[in-house]
Amino acid sequence: MTSTLRALLGATALSAIGGIAAAETLTIATVNNGDMIRMQGLTDDFTEKTGHEVEWVTLEENVLRQRVTTDISTNGGQFDIMTIGMYETPIWGKQEWLVPLDDLSEDYDVDDLLPAMAGGLSVDGTLYAAPFYGESSMVMYRTDLMEAAGMEMPDAPTWDDIKAAAEAMTDKDNEIYGICLRGKAGWGENMAFLTAMSNSFGARWFDEDWNPQFDSPEWKATIDFYLDLMNNYGPPGAANNGFNENLALFQQGKCGMWIDATVAASFVTNPDDSTVADSVGFALAPDNGLGKRGNWLWAWALAIPAGSQKVDAAKQFIEWATSKEYIELVAENEGWANVPPGARTSLYENPEYQKVPFAKMTLDSINSADPTNPTVEPVPYIGVQFAAIPEFAGFATQTGQEFSAALAGQQSAEEALAKAQDIVNEEMEAAGYK
């Protein structure tokens, strides 16, 4: 299909939603990561097809979460489209804070969405947010440093493998640190990583009666191992580092390994941005032989708050930004390695995308994460790197501050865990879970 014909068909499909609406200006809140910034650069394609203009509000991850949560819970009406994820969508959908996406066009092909992504963004089978990209987490590592150390990274490493590799690759005199991990406080920053990690150590947020479990030996083992890795083989100032900070360090050649979002693979292998683009390998997130890996499941998705006065135009944008045609648009402009991953089955069936070195590892990582059965021991909640209850964002951010303070050397692991236990216990009692 020619690009001209594809554009014509795309315009026809977009205009079919609710008829051809008058031109609107949409305000969209989004996160400041590479895929979203790339989308902003391609928005002229949407405007040409629909006549609608777009105003972007681009925010750091923690700030975005605060802003959209405040706006939607107060029906503030600041945004026509919000970038949210698998945590917020089912909670807000149940509260009727989001517009259901149950009438997207046939050309959009809802059935092509990966089941893990569509399921995590739905309530009772109704989609409330469309995945822009989906992700799990995995190990990204320097193949040149591993080779120099005489080591090989297994495709499915254990945490002991990770520690041995981090030690071998660390060269602090030359500002090369064996491992970079999230330390910045936030329920979607350090606690996303630590919660996924804790699953592989046999830990859990709550037992089946909603009793917090930070006083368990499994959480102690998780935090001790994390602090040992970071204090011995991590970069200075790690307590301030989230996704973007660690991405920059890895691209600058200062990390031997980075365990983080699979979506980062296109950034660390892009020679325009990464000094180590030709020396990156990939592996599944680590385990401890307990049957659970330390990887999460997430989608950054686009949703329409119920307070929007521009629902038809907003649906047109969501169809454009999360469509098969958008993926092809990015491929034509940036190459297949840079298309938004993890959202559509057809992408992983595409022979061109199958040539991308991290494509299979990304899909394997996504498929290995089970939000309905995330832990070794049974739990009363759904979610791999979060517990899908409304109170989680608040108390998980507070516990994240305690673990970040421990990483900064301001308190011990024991003190951080004891405070986390008290924080969560108090919040759960106040919320009536106990």
Side-chain angles (χ1 to χ4, degrees):
M1 186 186 296
T2 68
S3 59
T4 303
L5 178 57
R6 188 161 49 244
L8 178 61
L9 291 174
T12 303
L14 288 167
S15 65
I17 310 167
I20 299 176
E24 302 276 13
T25 298
L26 297 169
T27 302
I28 304 177
T30 197
V31 65
N32 65 336
N33 67 30
D35 282 292
M36 298 301 185
I37 291 167
R38 182 178 290 128
M39 176 169 58
Q40 294 173 39
L42 295 170
T43 307
D44 285 349
D45 180 79
F46 169 73
T47 299
E48 288 171 10
K49 288 174 177 173
T50 65
H52 303 309
E53 301 285 344
V54 176
E55 291 183 353
W56 292 95
V57 179
T58 307
L59 302 165
E60 187 269 332
E61 186 169 326
N62 285 341
V63 178
L64 172 75
R65 296 184 197 280
Q66 293 166 359
R67 286 278 299 275
V68 299
T69 300
T70 299
D71 188 68
I72 201 163
S73 61
T74 60
N75 200 26
Q78 277 186 282
F79 308 114
D80 300 300
I81 296 172
M82 295 175 165
T83 304
I84 60 175
M86 286 188 171
Y87 168 67
E88 301 95 341
T89 302
I91 295 171
W92 294 358
K94 282 181 182 176
Q95 293 173 325
E96 299 183 349
W97 289 357
L98 301 173
V99 175
L101 302 179
D102 54 0
D103 58 351
L104 299 178
S105 71
E106 186 176 340
D107 288 338
Y108 180 75
D109 193 3
V110 171
D111 292 339
D112 185 48
L113 299 177
L114 283 171
M117 298 301 153
L121 298 170
S122 298
V123 178
D124 297 329
T126 296
L127 194 70
Y128 278 87
F132 178 67
Y133 68 76
E135 65 179 40
S136 184
S137 52
M138 64 182 176
V139 183
M140 293 161 276
Y141 64 92
R142 291 274 300 279
T143 55
D144 55 336
L145 296 181
M146 287 291 283
E147 185 177 349
M151 300 180 70
E152 287 189 16
M153 178 68 71
D155 286 341
T158 65
W159 282 107
D160 286 340
D161 292 329
I162 295 299
K163 183 176 180 178
E167 181 178 10
M169 288 190 284
T170 297
D171 182 2
K172 292 184 179 180
D173 290 341
N174 289 304
E175 293 188 304
I176 296 174
Y177 304 95
I179 191 161
C180 294
L181 301 172
R182 296 188 187 197
K184 179 188 286 186
W187 74 262
E189 280 282 6
N190 66 338
M191 290 314 297
F193 176 81
L194 286 170
T195 300
M197 180 182 181
S198 76
N199 295 339
S200 67
F201 278 74
R204 50 187 176 165
W205 271 86
F206 303 101
D207 67 13
E208 291 181 280
D209 296 318
W210 293 105
N211 295 304
Q213 297 294 293
F214 286 101
D215 56 359
S216 68
E218 291 84 4
W219 263 108
K220 179 69 162 54
T222 303
I223 299 303
D224 281 348
F225 195 94
Y226 167 77
L227 293 176
D228 177 67
L229 273 181
M230 296 303 288
N231 288 331
N232 289 311
Y233 316 119
N240 299 312
N241 293 347
F243 174 86
N244 284 329
E245 292 81 7
N246 284 326
L247 170 61
L249 286 171
F250 195 96
Q251 289 177 324
Q252 293 161 12
K254 296 187 176 183
C255 302
M257 268 181 302
W258 181 30
I259 305 173
D260 213 296
T262 52
V263 73
S266 68
F267 306 138
V268 298
T269 57
N270 184 341
D272 293 338
D273 301 314
S274 176
T275 62
V276 296
D278 59 351
S279 303
V280 184
F282 304 96
L284 293 173
D287 71 0
N288 271 322
L290 301 178
K292 296 294 177 183
R293 293 203 164 270
N295 60 305
W296 62 64
L297 185 69
W298 185 253
W300 276 120
L302 302 177
I304 305 169
S308 173
Q309 302 301 307
K310 304 170 183 176
V311 171
D312 287 345
K315 285 183 179 178
Q316 286 182 302
F317 182 87
I318 287 175
E319 285 214 12
W320 172 80
T322 65
S323 66
K324 298 176 188 177
E325 289 75 22
Y326 177 82
I327 289 173
E328 291 190 13
L329 177 67
V330 176
E332 287 175 6
N333 284 273
E334 307 280 350
W336 280 104
N338 294 309
V339 304
R344 287 188 170 270
T345 300
S346 57
L347 177 62
Y348 292 91
E349 295 172 346
N350 185 312
E352 291 302 313
Y353 195 67
Q354 288 173 355
K355 298 174 186 176
V356 173
F358 49 81
K360 185 178 185 303
M361 189 63 71
T362 294
L363 186 62
D364 288 347
S365 298
I366 288 171
N367 287 338
S368 71
D370 182 359
T372 63
N373 185 30
T375 52
V376 175
E377 298 295 327
V379 291
Y381 56 86
I382 291 172
V384 179
Q385 75 279 24
F386 55 81
I389 57 175
E391 298 79 10
F392 180 82
F395 62 65
T397 294
Q398 292 181 64
T399 59
Q401 291 165 351
E402 300 302 334
F403 294 128
S404 188
L407 180 57
Q410 297 167 2
Q411 62 184 350
S412 67
E414 292 80 5
E415 289 170 322
L417 287 162
K419 290 178 181 177
Q421 180 75 7
D422 289 343
I423 287 166
V424 181
N425 199 51
E426 184 176 326
E427 292 289 334
M428 294 300 282
E429 286 183 356
Y433 284 82
K434 300 171 60 184

